[in-house]
Amino acid sequence: MTGELDALRRRYSGHIPGLLGAERSYAVLAPLLPLPDGPRLLFEVRAAGLRQGGEVCFPGGRMEPGETPEDCALRETEEELSIPRGEVELLGPSDFICSQRGFLLRPVVGVVSPAGFAQMQPSPAEVAEVFTVPLAFFSRTEPVTARYELTPSLPEDFPYEAAGIPRDYAWSHGAVEVPSWQYEGHVIWGMTGRIVRDIIQGL
């Protein structure tokens, strides 16, 4: 028993809580470009050979062990776009997204300097295209919003009787709202759209 308690003491001493059940975490940078006519958001289009190729996204990827969201976002931006991390002023973290697929997405908002933007060289293996959108466009344009339901589906051998609940138990349902904007032939939607919506709510 003492050994078990010691193990729990070690586990919880200095423990930083995360999301229960999350198998992995990702981080992205929402890069802002400060231009004379107002800030613009920088987006990527995923290379065709990647999972979800052709989709619009922010630079980012899977967090490595011991890595903060900020470190991951800067590292991935440097790998994908060759923008040096020293040319990005981090404004802070945006609200994170919990995916029903079992991972956390940790967005970080940052400002890319003109020098950093001038050094940008997208990696062909990861990035098919980059483009920018005025932040004001998102503020003044209502997105098209879709909503999909999250419906629980339990196996037949779930121990209803042992748990003391009926087979028609009212399991909680959920839903996810997905905003999308169209801008000059590109569609900004999904988790990227949700991050954009969170950013403009602060304006």
Side-chain angles (χ1 to χ4, degrees), residues 3 12 17 38 44 67 86 102-103 110 120 133 137-139 144 155-156 158 175:
Y12 290 108
E44 299 177 352
E67 197 172 42
F103 66 84
M120 182 177 66
V133 182
F137 166 79
F138 295 107
S139 298
V144 175
E156 286 296 322
F158 183 82

Side-chain angles (χ1 to χ4, degrees), residues 49-108:
L50 298 179
R51 184 174 179 272
Q52 298 172 324
E55 290 189 9
V56 172
C57 66
F58 288 126
R62 187 168 182 170
M63 291 173 57
E64 296 178 351
E67 197 172 42
T68 66
E70 292 81 1
D71 287 340
C72 176
L74 291 173
R75 173 179 57 77
E76 290 284 348
T77 299
E78 194 162 15
E79 291 175 2
E80 296 173 18
L81 299 177
S82 297
I83 296 175
R85 63 183 61 207
E87 298 296 337
V88 181
E89 174 198 357
L90 295 181
L91 302 185
S94 176
D95 289 343
F96 61 79
I97 295 175
C98 171
S99 169
Q100 63 272 22
R101 290 183 289 162
F103 66 84
L104 280 177
L105 180 61
R106 311 293 296 267
V108 181

Side-chain angles (χ1 to χ4, degrees), residues 114-195:
F117 184 59
Q119 295 178 63
M120 182 177 66
Q121 292 185 346
S123 166
E126 298 189 75
V127 182
E129 180 188 353
V130 295
F131 66 97
T132 65
V133 182
L135 199 57
F137 166 79
F138 295 107
S139 298
R140 66 173 182 257
T141 307
E142 280 294 318
V144 175
T145 303
R147 177 185 172 95
Y148 64 89
E149 302 296 323
L150 302 174
T151 305
S153 177
L154 274 75
E156 286 296 322
D157 59 352
F158 183 82
Y160 288 94
E161 291 76 19
I165 59 175
R167 288 190 168 267
D168 60 352
Y169 182 78
W171 295 98
S172 296
H173 291 235
V176 177
E177 285 191 350
V178 183
S180 65
W181 288 268
Q182 293 191 49
Y183 182 82
E184 296 185 352
H186 296 289
V187 181
I188 298 98
W189 69 287
M191 290 188 178
T192 303
R194 292 170 66 186
I195 295 169

